[in-house]
Amino acid sequence: MIYLELLWSFFQIGLFSIGGGYAAMPLIQHQVVDVHPWLTMTQFTDIMTIAEMTPGPIAINSATFVGIQVAGLPGAVIATVGCVLPSCVIVLTLAYVYYHFRGLTLVQGVLAGLRPAVVAMIASAGLSIICMAFFGERNLPANLETVDLAAVGIFAVCLFCLRKWKLHPIAVMAGAGAAGLLLYSIF
Amino acid sequence: MDNQKPDYWKLFISTFELSACTFGGGFVIIPLMRKKFVDELHWIEEQEMLDLTAIAQSSPGAIAVNASILVGYRVGGALGALTTVLGTVLPPLVIISLISLCYTAVRDSAVVSMVMAGMLAGVGAVICDVVLNMLKSLVETKRVLPLAILVLAFAAVRFWGVNIVVIILVCGTVGAADTLLRMKKEAVQS
């Protein structure tokens, strides 16, 4: 039964991927290339590229893509459901616990310890994205000459608009996309 | 939870819109959600949003999905969570379904990759803006421990490749120990 197999595979992907999209990639590959003959390795690389180019979490994007390839639109829906089901159960339980016990002094202490760590993780993810935009790599390269000046310019203008004029992030991102199209077609 | 009836439609539209604009991984949706639900709609408090982010990160699954479940639960209980999951999952479902019809053309399209390269720089700026705001409110607490945790956690995730779950556990324990110590000190003093 293909629908059950899809549901179960993506349930496992949803359950075992902790810490964001890049952690999910090897799990997805294992399920859809190694365990099941759903995608070839080339197709898998393609969907990872597309998942990065389109909005939405990588796991959801690949669930939809694999589901459609294997069993059409119902397959896509079922794979997506499988993917979010573990999150729903676990996160709802944690949300319940959080809202019932966050008044406790000890829980307040735990949360106070977590907040700076969260800021650090967001900062690190931001740095990866900035390096990706400027140099095409997730880390600062040894040779800084490979820098993409158009990207640096877009970044600077966007940051200025956000800090100085408090423009809406979605408007800024749309503007950045348009600027990218313009600058990269000229140069 | 608020006494007034939660606005499910607004909840759905908000998460749909955010999800449709979240390029570049789960961390991007956190700043966008903060802007929407903390600054614009005032449905969630600043500190609470950081707590929800910590829960979203340390739970399995996509961060964007987890965060939207938490926001939905906060605003409208289980039904709210269902609303936000739908809002978050629908845009990628629709977009990928359409793209899968002609995915090789999209993959090789120069226009798409130019727009994406521009948006990536924009996303970097959005995250940078949010991190600066968060840093400001951390510095304003005028305590050394949060800043120490910030620096060490950054080094751990960035340079030492420590697993996020380990970082969350350690920082939570440190926070709890710090609170216990301070409670003891206050008890001795009084």
Side-chain angles (χ1 to χ4, degrees), chain A residues 17 46 99 109 115 128 163, chain B residues 47-48 51 61 107 129 158:
Chain A
S17 58
D46 285 348
Y99 281 112
R115 283 177 203 135
S128 295
R163 305 288 311 164
Chain B
Q47 297 281 300
E48 196 181 356
D51 296 343
R107 183 195 59 196
D129 175 50
R158 184 91 208 153

Side-chain angles (χ1 to χ4, degrees), chain B residues 43 83 100 107 131 154:
Chain B
W43 285 352
T83 311
S100 72
R107 183 195 59 196
V131 168
F154 185 82

Side-chain angles (χ1 to χ4, degrees), chain A residues 14-15 17 46 50 53-56 61 64 80 87 94 98-99 109 114-116 124 128 138-139 163 168-169 173 176, chain B residues 20-22 32 40 47-48 51 59-61 66 74 89 92-93 99 107 112 116 118 129 133 146 158 168 175 179:
Chain A
L15 185 60
S17 58
D46 285 348
I50 289 168
M53 290 161 67
T54 49
N61 287 346
T64 306
T80 304
S87 289
L94 288 176
Y98 169 73
Y99 281 112
L114 290 184
R115 283 177 203 135
S124 171
S128 295
R138 295 178 63 77
N139 284 302
R163 305 288 311 164
H168 198 280
M173 278 160 59
Chain B
C21 298
T22 311
L32 297 180
E40 274 178 37
Q47 297 281 300
E48 196 181 356
D51 296 343
S59 310
N66 294 351
R74 168 68 176 82
V89 163
L93 193 68
I99 285 182
R107 183 195 59 196
V112 172
M116 288 317 301
D129 175 50
N133 290 336
R158 184 91 208 153
I168 296 262
T179 308

Side-chain angles (χ1 to χ4, degrees), chain B residues 44-184:
Chain B
I44 292 175
E45 289 155 38
E46 172 95 48
Q47 297 281 300
E48 196 181 356
M49 193 68 218
L50 280 181
D51 296 343
L52 297 186
T53 309
I55 300 174
Q57 272 177 322
S58 41
S59 310
I63 293 175
V65 174
N66 294 351
S68 66
I69 292 175
L70 289 163
V71 168
Y73 179 80
R74 168 68 176 82
V75 176
L79 197 59
L82 192 68
T83 311
T84 48
V85 167
L86 267 181
T88 306
V89 163
L90 271 181
L93 193 68
V94 171
I95 292 168
I96 295 290
S97 298
L98 292 177
I99 285 182
S100 72
L101 300 173
C102 54
Y103 75 95
T104 42
V106 175
R107 183 195 59 196
D108 302 330
S109 156
V111 172
V112 172
S113 66
M114 284 184 218
V115 172
M116 288 317 301
M119 286 190 88
L120 198 62
V123 167
V126 169
I127 299 192
C128 194
D129 175 50
V130 169
V131 168
L132 287 175
N133 290 336
M134 287 174 163
L135 278 180
K136 212 172 112 203
S137 59
L138 268 186
V139 171
E140 277 164 3
T141 62
K142 294 206 168 86
R143 294 199 57 221
V144 179
L145 188 69
L147 292 177
I149 293 180
L150 176 87
V151 173
L152 286 176
F154 185 82
V157 73
R158 184 91 208 153
F159 305 117
W160 306 329
V162 181
N163 190 304
I164 283 180
V165 180
V166 175
I167 298 176
I168 296 262
L169 286 176
V170 171
C171 294
T173 313
V174 170
D178 173 55
T179 308
L180 284 179
L181 276 177
R182 280 201 291 168
M183 278 162 71
K184 224 175 206 172

Side-chain angles (χ1 to χ4, degrees), chain A:
Chain A
M1 180 72 184
I2 188 71
Y3 294 129
L4 274 180
E5 278 180 56
L6 274 173
L7 188 75
W8 177 233
S9 281
F10 279 94
F11 184 88
Q12 285 171 284
I13 291 168
L15 185 60
F16 294 119
S17 58
I18 299 182
Y22 295 101
M25 274 189 186
L27 282 168
I28 300 169
Q29 187 197 332
H30 178 71
Q31 285 292 336
V32 307
V33 181
D34 303 340
V35 177
H36 300 281
W38 288 335
L39 294 189
T40 63
M41 200 54 212
T42 318
Q43 280 178 310
F44 175 76
T45 321
D46 285 348
I47 176 60
M48 286 302 134
T49 316
I50 289 168
E52 280 186 64
M53 290 161 67
T54 49
I58 287 180
I60 306 286
N61 287 346
S62 48
T64 306
F65 186 82
V66 173
I68 279 217
Q69 299 284 324
V70 176
L73 203 54
V77 174
I78 284 171
T80 304
V81 169
C83 197
V84 296
L85 214 52
S87 289
C88 288
V89 175
I90 294 167
V91 174
L92 275 180
T93 311
L94 288 176
Y96 180 83
V97 172
Y98 169 73
Y99 281 112
H100 275 75
F101 297 104
R102 71 166 166 161
L104 298 179
T105 318
L106 194 62
V107 177
Q108 292 266 324
V110 172
L111 294 171
L114 290 184
R115 283 177 203 135
V118 171
V119 178
M121 286 175 206
I122 297 179
S124 171
L127 201 59
S128 295
I129 287 177
I130 292 171
C131 287
M132 200 70 198
F134 288 6
F135 306 104
E137 297 171 39
R138 295 178 63 77
N139 284 302
L140 211 58
N143 183 2
L144 295 179
E145 280 168 22
T146 57
V147 66
D148 179 348
L149 285 175
V152 177
I154 293 172
F155 172 82
V157 172
C158 286
L159 192 60
F160 183 79
C161 294
L162 287 162
R163 305 288 311 164
K164 182 83 181 171
W165 297 320
K166 310 264 177 239
L167 287 192
H168 198 280
I170 292 177
V172 170
M173 278 160 59
L181 185 58
L182 193 73
L183 289 174
Y184 291 113
S185 7
I186 295 172
F187 299 114

